[in-house]
Amino acid sequence: MSSNEHDGQPAGSRRGLGRGLFGAARPLKAATSAAGTFRAGKAKRTARREREAARREALREARAAQDPTARAVHTRNAVLRWTHQRYQAGDRAPVCGGFMKTPGASFDGVPLELGDLQGALEYLTERDLVELHHPMHWTDPGYRESCTAQRLSLTRLGIDCAESGMTVSDFLHPRPAVGDTYNTTVHAGAQGTQIGRQNTMHNAWGLDANALLRFAGEVLAKLPELGLDAPAEAELEHEAGALRDVASARRPDPTALRRAYDAVMNALGRAPESTAGQWLHEAGTAAINNVLGGGG
C-alpha cells in the first residue's frame, strides 16, 4: 500500500494539493495587475481632463480677444459698480488700481489689462459719470501709464447711473418703453390720431423727454470746459435751463422741446472746437432722436 493510500488519500492527492497552493497565489497577482491598470487609467483620465480644461481656457481667451466691444462694455459697467460700492462704503475717492484686484476685473474668465481700465476711465470721464484726480502733472513722464495711481470719484450723474440699476449704455441712451409699438408719424400741432387698436392718442401723451432732460444737465455740467466767452456762456446756460424746464414738464410739448433743443444747439455751435463740445453735439443728437424720433 502506498503512503497516499495509507493516509486515506487517493494516489497523487499531495501533488494536487501542491497545485492548489500554487494556484491560490494567482488571485494576488491578478489583484496587483488590476490595481496598476486602475492607476494608469486614472492618470490618463486626469491628463485628459487637464487637456480639456486647457482647451476651454484657450477658447475663452480667444473669444475675449475677438470681442473687444463686449469687453469694453463689461469694463465700464464693472468700474462704475465698483466705484459706487466704494462710495457706499465711505470711500469717496478710491485708487483706480484697486479695481484690478476685484472679481469684476475679468471678462469671460480672462483677466482684464491696464489698457481696458484706462479705456473705461476715459469713457466714463468724457460722459461726466466720474472724475479723476491724478497725482501727477500731465507733462510728467509716465502720466498716461500711471492710471492705477489715479483716484476716482462719482459725479452726481454717475451716482444716478449706478443707482438706476441700468447699464452705462442704457442709462446714457435709454430705449423706448416696452409695450405695443406702432411705427407712425404724428405732425406737430395734430390734436388726435387713430393708432393701432382703435385707440385715440395725442402727440404729447406718454412722451418721455428724460433723454433731453439729461442732455440739458450735461450741457450745464460741461459749461466750464467749452471755452466760451462770458456772454456766450451765459446764453448757453440760459437756453440749457429753458430746455431742462420744458423737458421736466408733466406733459412735455414736442414743439416746445424742439424749439428749446434748437436754441441750445445754436448756442453750443458758438463754442470753439473741443472734445467736450463734440461729445455734447453727439449726445444732443442722440437725445432728440430718442425723444422725437429723428430730425436731430
Side-chain angles (χ1 to χ4, degrees), residues 225-228 268-279 281:
E225 303 175 37
L226 297 175
L228 291 163
L268 184 60
R270 300 186 181 93
E273 188 171 328
S274 66
T275 301
Q278 180 181 355
W279 184 84
H281 274 286

Side-chain angles (χ1 to χ4, degrees), residues 28-39:
L28 295 177
K29 290 184 177 180
T32 302
S33 177
T37 302
F38 175 78
R39 283 194 296 270

